[in-house]
Amino acid sequence: MTFSMTHRFEARTDHLKQVMDEVEVSVQKGELSGALGQNVMLCLDELLTNIIKYGENEKGSVSVELDVREEGRKLKVFIKDDGPAFNPFEEVKEPDIDADLEDRMIGGLGVYFVKQLSESYCYSYIGRHNVVALSFDLQ
């Protein structure tokens, strides 16, 4: 079975829940393997939450397009939004995961997980849109 899902929505917390619920249903139906599905869900939750958080603060309302599809032996995830330009992979500081909990700076752990869980990740700013692309191995 080839997996494909596309959503266009206004970046609001209630829309995030709906998108995440649909991904979870796909995982439960076996359209995405359990481990892969959980990794994709964690990455989407982190990145979409950041878009909502920063978009509402800067712009008030942000439109998001999410495209998840199987291409060969890869699962490709594309997130496009019209919020303020923001590269999470360069602008978010790497967390010091070896530091004691009370000494750690707040933030950055979610993007760290995205980098660890995806096979590849990249950011670009194209035509007034942030575009994040992730790739996951289906094997």
Side-chain angles (χ1 to χ4, degrees), residues 101-121:
L101 192 56
E102 59 272 357
D103 295 332
R104 290 184 192 173
M105 304 259 316
I106 295 175
L109 197 54
V111 172
Y112 171 81
F113 284 133
V114 171
K115 290 177 176 180
Q116 296 302 307
L117 296 173
S118 59
E119 181 182 19
S120 67
Y121 55 88

Side-chain angles (χ1 to χ4, degrees), residues 25-133:
V25 166
S26 294
V27 170
Q28 291 171 350
K29 290 186 338 189
E31 294 173 357
L32 291 177
S33 71
L36 173 63
Q38 295 302 317
N39 290 348
V40 171
M41 287 180 60
L42 191 137
C43 292
L44 286 176
D45 189 37
E46 173 59 31
L47 294 170
L48 293 174
T49 298
N50 284 346
I51 291 169
I52 291 167
K53 179 177 157 185
Y54 293 110
E56 286 177 343
N57 289 343
E58 296 289 325
K59 194 174 174 189
S61 176
V62 174
S63 295
V64 178
E65 183 177 323
L66 170 65
D67 183 24
V68 183
R69 64 180 176 261
E70 196 174 322
E71 291 183 2
R73 295 182 175 176
K74 305 288 182 198
L75 184 73
K76 302 286 186 149
V77 176
F78 300 94
I79 304 170
K80 180 178 172 182
D81 72 80
D82 64 355
F86 181 74
N87 181 345
F89 306 120
E90 289 186 7
E91 296 181 44
V92 174
K93 291 184 180 180
E94 289 281 327
D96 183 357
I97 59 171
D98 295 322
D100 290 334
L101 192 56
E102 59 272 357
D103 295 332
R104 290 184 192 173
M105 304 259 316
I106 295 175
L109 197 54
V111 172
Y112 171 81
F113 284 133
V114 171
K115 290 177 176 180
Q116 296 302 307
L117 296 173
S118 59
E119 181 182 19
S120 67
Y121 55 88
C122 69
Y123 167 86
S124 52
Y125 191 74
I126 303 170
R128 296 186 177 187
H129 289 92
N130 296 292
V131 180
V132 170

Side-chain angles (χ1 to χ4, degrees), residues 9-20 52:
F9 57 98
E10 185 179 330
R12 293 195 337 238
T13 304
D14 56 334
H15 291 153
L16 175 61
K17 179 172 176 12
Q18 178 184 350
V19 171
M20 296 306 296
I52 291 167

